[in-house]
């Protein structure tokens, strides 16, 4: 009996330790080492000359394939809308997070874009990924006042992004806000699973390697 009691106590202690460890990893307010890029972009991802702020950069296709974030990258997926384009991007981000050991949390901003963005920032992520045209005008107002928080916008862009905002667009995407339209003719069929997967991988490669404040064009 004493041996069984000791074993039970040891097992209980192990369970408690695992539970406490899980709680610690779930606490994004806890300090940790800054995230890094694992791998290096292939030639053609970074332009020969450093891009100017708000520039459009056209990386070579697939030059981002061998780059992923360090494990546990804290990302909030900020969404608005249930249209096919937004759904395709959301699915791509979720799959990318699962494949790369990203700690992903999702915030829906369907009811109020500003409130959704503030909630996402309050979670203390290392990156906020935005999908959905309904967020663009609100992001244009919020992001210049929070330069310490990196944002990645997929399938749309800000007309005048600050250096903490990076976008990924292609022919068929590129919404810039109410009254500004899109950079190209909108084509919902261009939001293919392959294109959306490239968008999140190319965008996070740019953020992790410091090429921010630009629009990546991934045709």
């Amino acid at each position: 009996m004493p041996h069984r009691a000791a074993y039970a106590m040891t097992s209980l202690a192990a369970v408690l330790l695992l539970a406490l460890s899980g709680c610690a990893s779930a606490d994004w307010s806890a300090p940790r080492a800054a995230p890094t890029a694992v791998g290096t972009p292939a030639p053609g991802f970074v332009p020969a000359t450093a891009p100017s702020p708000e520039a459009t950069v056209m990386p070579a296709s697939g030059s981002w394939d061998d780059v992923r974030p360090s494990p546990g990258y804290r990302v909030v997926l900020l969404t608005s809308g249930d249209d096919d384009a937004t759904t395709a991007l959301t699915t791509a981000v979720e799959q990318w997070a699962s494949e790369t050991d990203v700690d992903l949390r999702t915030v829906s901003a369907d009811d109020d874009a500003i409130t959704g963005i503030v909630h996402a920032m309050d979670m203390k992520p290392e990156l906020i990924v935005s999908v959905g045209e309904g967020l663009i005008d609100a992001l244009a107002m919020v992001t210049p006042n929070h330069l310490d928080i990196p944002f990645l916008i997929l399938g749309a862009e800000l007309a005048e992004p600050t250096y903490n905002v990076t976008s990924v667009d292609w022919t068929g995407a590129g919404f810039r806000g109410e009254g500004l339209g899109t950079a190209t003719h909108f084509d919902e069929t261009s939001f293919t699973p392959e294109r959306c997967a490239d968008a999140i991988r190319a965008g996070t490669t740019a953020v992790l390697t410091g090429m921010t404040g630009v629009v990546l064009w991934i045709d």
Side-chain angles (χ1 to χ4, degrees), residues 2-87:
H3 291 294
R4 291 185 179 179
Y7 177 78
M9 291 296 292
T10 301
S11 298
L12 178 59
V15 170
L16 290 173
L17 179 60
L18 287 172
L20 290 171
S21 298
C23 290
S25 64
D27 181 11
W28 280 8
S29 65
R32 76 184 201 109
T36 59
V38 178
T40 304
F45 185 79
V46 180
T49 58
S52 59
E54 304 180 27
T56 297
V57 177
M58 302 179 69
S61 179
S63 57
W64 49 80
D65 285 347
D66 293 331
V67 181
R68 58 184 175 83
S70 50
Y73 193 29
R74 298 169 177 175
V75 177
V76 168
L77 172 59
L78 183 64
T79 71
S80 178
D82 59 0
D83 55 280
D84 289 346
T86 301
T87 300

Side-chain angles (χ1 to χ4, degrees), residues 18-195:
L18 287 172
L20 290 171
S21 298
C23 290
S25 64
D27 181 11
W28 280 8
S29 65
R32 76 184 201 109
T36 59
V38 178
T40 304
F45 185 79
V46 180
T49 58
S52 59
E54 304 180 27
T56 297
V57 177
M58 302 179 69
S61 179
S63 57
W64 49 80
D65 285 347
D66 293 331
V67 181
R68 58 184 175 83
S70 50
Y73 193 29
R74 298 169 177 175
V75 177
V76 168
L77 172 59
L78 183 64
T79 71
S80 178
D82 59 0
D83 55 280
D84 289 346
T86 301
T87 300
L89 286 168
T90 297
T91 299
V93 174
E94 292 171 343
Q95 290 177 344
W96 163 79
S98 176
E99 293 167 0
T100 57
D101 195 20
V102 164
D103 188 353
L104 180 69
R105 304 178 187 185
T106 301
V107 170
S108 172
D110 286 334
D111 295 333
D112 186 322
I114 294 288
T115 299
I117 296 168
V118 171
H119 178 45
M121 293 191 298
D122 285 345
M123 294 169 71
K124 309 299 183 184
E126 291 160 338
L127 176 66
I128 296 176
V129 177
S130 169
V131 300
E133 294 184 357
L135 292 163
I136 299 304
D137 290 320
L139 286 169
M141 291 188 290
V142 173
T143 55
N145 300 308
H146 297 276
L147 298 176
D148 58 322
I149 301 177
F151 289 82
L152 174 62
I153 302 173
L154 304 180
E157 62 185 80
L158 301 188
E160 296 181 0
T162 42
Y163 64 80
N164 59 320
V165 181
T166 305
S167 300
V168 184
D169 278 334
W170 56 87
T171 301
F175 180 73
R176 295 177 294 177
E178 294 297 330
L180 296 175
T182 59
T184 69
H185 176 72
F186 178 74
D187 180 6
E188 194 169 62
T189 64
S190 71
F191 289 73
T192 62
E194 297 78 13
R195 180 63 56 73

